[in-house]
Amino acid sequence: MRSVGPRSLCLAALVILIGGMALSASAALRTATSGGYWTNGAIWGGTAPQDGDDAVINGGVTVTADVSTATLNSLTNNGTLVFAGWNTVVTSTTVTVTGTVTHLPNADTNVSDGWQTDHRVQIVCTNLTVAVGGRIDVNGKGFFGGFGLTNGFGPGGGAGGVVPHSGGGGSYGGKGGGRSGYPASVSGPVYGSASVADWPGSGGGCDWANVTGGAGGGLIQILASGVVTVQGTITANGIASSSESGGGSGGGIHIVCDSLAGAGTLSANGGAASSWGGSGGGGRISLDYQSAAGWAGALQAGYGIPVNNSVGHDLGTVWVPDGKLPQNAGAAWYGRICNVTSSSIPVFDLNGGYVRFEEAALQLTVASNVSLRASAMLEFPTNGTAAVAVNVGGDLTLSNGTLSVSAMPTNGAPDYGAFLGVTGTVFVSSNSFIYPYSHPTNGGSVLFRFGGLTVAAFGRLDADYKGFGGGRYGRPASG
């Protein structure tokens, strides 16, 4: 049950790990050759792993961690490791995953005593490696989706049984979707913290007999004093809905480490919608590292794929240390980038995906080129308090991509509401778009300063309908 915070428990275990491991006289290699509970010595050849041991789970073997482990020297998982319990922690100097790590589903369906969380993955280590083909996978292990004519479960559960044939998508880091024109079908509220992902995702609502909404993604928390290398996959996606119901929201991934490296995928996407249901909102990814210079992978907290008239869905959050935004050299990213107010990176090549920078007064410098391709979307919004400034040292190329920049109000210096400077040339190919949005009541606008500009046929630099706002009933127009 939800009783101990993620950092308090993990930090206590980390102190034990890095404070000096007391190796027992019987330190040995323990290999699980048959399935069962971690504490069952029989599956390990007679004795469960002790302090200082090297533990190996063979391929094809499933071991359930029913209690926290001893402080191991190493753990190599070639099979399946299942976490059972909210406070179960695996502690080891090194952890290598070539198989699968997961946890049991969060099964609370009674909100009367507050939503209780049952299970999560918690790993405390020095170094962790998820190899190519390896997975830490808690897809659909969050709160359940609704069944029949019920809401989804969890703090952001989607609505069910309200609008015919239209369950709302689950919410967590981003709002779930609902059927257009039926506000009662929307999901529950977003919840939790962007800086520390510490909840599983919520389920989608259901509005059809004998089907279920999608379950939310689970929760993964890794506390490493050294390097976390992901060549495989760490995933906490929501599950797609079945007929007339909503998708589950993405879950949570929280990683603390000295260095983040690898070319794998971190994913907390919402589940897709079906029929007239709403798509699940994005989950939360929080990354607290000292360096991500070795990261070349994907960061994804997107909403589920919408269908028909599903609206209102939103991206989840991706929190990174300010000033330490990873470069993107060709990966698909999805999410609202949080906590970045100033950062310099070598290159930004968004190969598919949808990224929105959240913070006001963002000062972003890209030393060489920025590319948006394969239907990639990049947004620089404003909250109206400070101007965004983006400087590109090379070229800006949109190849089937979309860039949106929004301005803040202007009342003096600077005399622009947002700035985009490109030293080289801006190339806008066919089916690509740049949208500058002026402030709707003040008129502050985006200043572009380019070394050159090429707009191909059917490409657009488009400010149509993006000036002063129109009037509403009882109010004059702006401007």
Side-chain angles (χ1 to χ4, degrees):
M1 291 301 208
R2 189 180 186 85
S3 58
V4 179
R7 281 190 166 173
S8 60
L9 186 61
C10 288
L11 284 172
L14 185 63
V15 169
I16 294 171
L17 180 63
I18 67 177
M21 190 161 51
L23 300 179
S24 67
S26 60
L29 173 64
R30 314 283 184 183
T31 302
T33 57
S34 60
Y37 287 105
W38 184 281
T39 49
N40 181 0
I43 71 172
W44 300 98
T47 303
Q50 306 295 306
D51 284 348
D53 283 352
D54 296 301
V56 177
I57 301 174
N58 278 351
V61 172
T62 297
V63 175
T64 300
D66 50 332
V67 298
S68 294
T69 69
T71 303
L72 307 174
N73 180 56
S74 68
L75 169 63
T76 301
N77 175 36
N78 301 316
T80 300
L81 175 62
V82 182
F83 281 71
W86 185 252
N87 294 327
T88 299
V89 183
V90 167
T91 305
S92 179
T93 302
T94 63
V95 176
T96 302
V97 179
T98 66
T100 299
V101 177
T102 188
H103 66 66
L104 296 177
N106 284 269
D108 188 17
T109 58
N110 183 7
V111 69
S112 63
D113 59 347
W115 292 110
Q116 302 298 312
T117 47
D118 302 325
H119 308 285
R120 57 179 166 176
V121 168
Q122 282 195 103
I123 298 173
V124 176
C125 59
T126 300
N127 299 314
L128 178 141
T129 299
V130 181
V132 174
R135 298 177 67 84
I136 303 180
D137 185 338
V138 296
N139 292 346
K141 301 296 186 181
F143 291 102
F144 295 148
F147 178 78
L149 301 175
T150 62
N151 294 345
F153 299 102
V162 178
V163 175
H165 314 305
S166 182
S171 300
Y172 178 24
K175 286 282 289 183
R179 184 175 178 180
S180 176
Y182 292 87
S185 71
V186 300
S187 64
V190 298
Y191 57 97
S193 166
S195 61
V196 180
D198 60 355
W199 279 89
S202 292
C206 185
D207 203 80
W208 195 255
N210 301 318
V211 298
T212 59
L219 176 61
I220 299 163
Q221 296 181 317
I222 298 166
L223 190 63
S225 59
V227 182
V228 171
T229 303
V230 183
Q231 302 293 4
T233 302
I234 297 180
T235 179
N237 293 339
I239 297 297
S241 63
S242 51
S243 180
E244 319 294 347
S245 57
S249 77
I253 299 172
H254 179 59
I255 299 175
V256 177
C257 60
D258 183 69
S259 298
L260 180 66
T265 298
L266 306 182
S267 176
N269 294 320
S274 66
S275 298
W276 296 100
S279 56
R284 294 194 187 275
I285 298 174
S286 50
L287 305 173
D288 190 354
Y289 49 73
Q290 294 302 310
S291 172
W295 179 251
L299 302 174
Q300 300 186 353
Y303 50 76
I305 298 172
V307 297
N308 294 326
N309 291 324
S310 177
V311 297
H313 40 258
D314 201 5
L315 301 167
T317 57
V318 178
W319 190 98
V320 299
D322 194 14
K324 298 176 182 178
L325 178 72
Q327 69 170 352
N328 185 337
W333 287 9
Y334 293 84
R336 291 153 39 219
I337 307 297
C338 301
N339 194 52
V340 176
T341 62
S342 178
S343 203
S344 298
I345 55 177
V347 63
F348 193 83
D349 179 9
L350 189 61
N351 184 15
Y354 182 5
V355 171
R356 183 188 312 144
F357 283 86
E358 286 287 283
E359 306 304 330
L362 171 67
Q363 307 292 302
L364 177 63
T365 300
V366 182
S368 56
N369 299 323
V370 172
S371 299
L372 305 179
R373 50 199 176 102
S375 301
M377 295 186 290
L378 177 61
E379 295 181 356
F380 296 101
T382 179
N383 67 3
T385 61
V388 168
V390 180
N391 289 278
V392 179
D395 297 330
L396 168 61
T397 302
L398 282 71
S399 180
N400 195 19
T402 302
L403 172 64
S404 300
V405 185
S406 297
M408 62 167 281
T410 54
N411 292 290
D415 59 356
Y416 52 83
F419 175 77
L420 173 62
V422 179
T423 302
T425 300
V426 175
F427 299 94
V428 183
S429 71
S430 177
N431 299 314
S432 296
F433 310 93
I434 297 179
Y435 295 127
Y437 289 85
S438 296
H439 192 272
T441 60
N442 171 273
S445 297
V446 180
L447 172 62
F448 292 133
R449 185 169 291 141
F450 303 154
L453 174 64
T454 300
V455 181
F458 305 108
R460 292 176 69 88
L461 200 164
D462 185 349
D464 289 354
Y465 319 118
K466 298 172 181 65
F468 283 108
R472 291 182 291 167
Y473 179 75
R475 297 185 182 181
S478 301

